Amino acid sequence: MREELFWDRDAANVSPDVEIERAINFGGFDFIQHVQDKHGMDRFTDVLMHSRNLSRKAVNYWCLVLHLDRAKTRTFTMDRMWSPFR
């Protein structure tokens, strides 16, 4: 586990969903591979599709790689509270 990604919580008690979210948002390919091996692709895909704590860029990338419809992800279906451009 890359402890620098979990500076705000006890690394020993990190839930699998939080570990996957941090890997998707901030992890390198080696950490992504580790998380996929540890938790499985089904869990990885489930977090990718249903988490609200993911960046749009990261979700877009992983949807392209995994051939998933980004429009069905929670990141792209929820209303944004703040839009930087009008």
Side-chain angles (χ1 to χ4, degrees):
M1 176 182 295
R2 290 184 51 191
E3 293 182 12
E4 66 271 12
L5 296 179
F6 305 99
W7 60 271
D8 59 337
R9 55 185 75 212
D10 182 17
N13 297 325
V14 173
S15 73
D17 289 353
V18 171
E19 185 175 10
I20 294 169
E21 288 172 356
R22 301 275 172 103
I24 291 171
N25 280 331
F26 308 113
F29 291 114
D30 56 336
F31 187 55
I32 292 283
Q33 186 64 48
H34 168 74
V35 167
Q36 288 173 344
D37 292 342
K38 182 177 177 182
H39 300 291
M41 280 303 295
D42 289 337
R43 184 83 181 251
F44 183 85
T45 304
D46 185 58
V47 171
L48 180 67
M49 297 300 289
H50 298 105
S51 177
R52 55 184 265 170
N53 300 320
L54 300 174
S55 76
R56 292 171 69 92
K57 286 182 182 181
V59 171
N60 185 55
Y61 174 79
W62 285 108
C63 285
L64 286 170
V65 169
L66 299 174
H67 306 289
L68 301 171
D69 184 8
R70 77 175 187 182
K72 294 181 181 178
T73 64
R74 185 162 185 191
T75 301
F76 280 91
T77 57
M78 69 182 187
D79 291 333
R80 295 176 62 149
M81 290 177 44
W82 179 77
S83 181
F85 306 107
R86 290 190 175 228

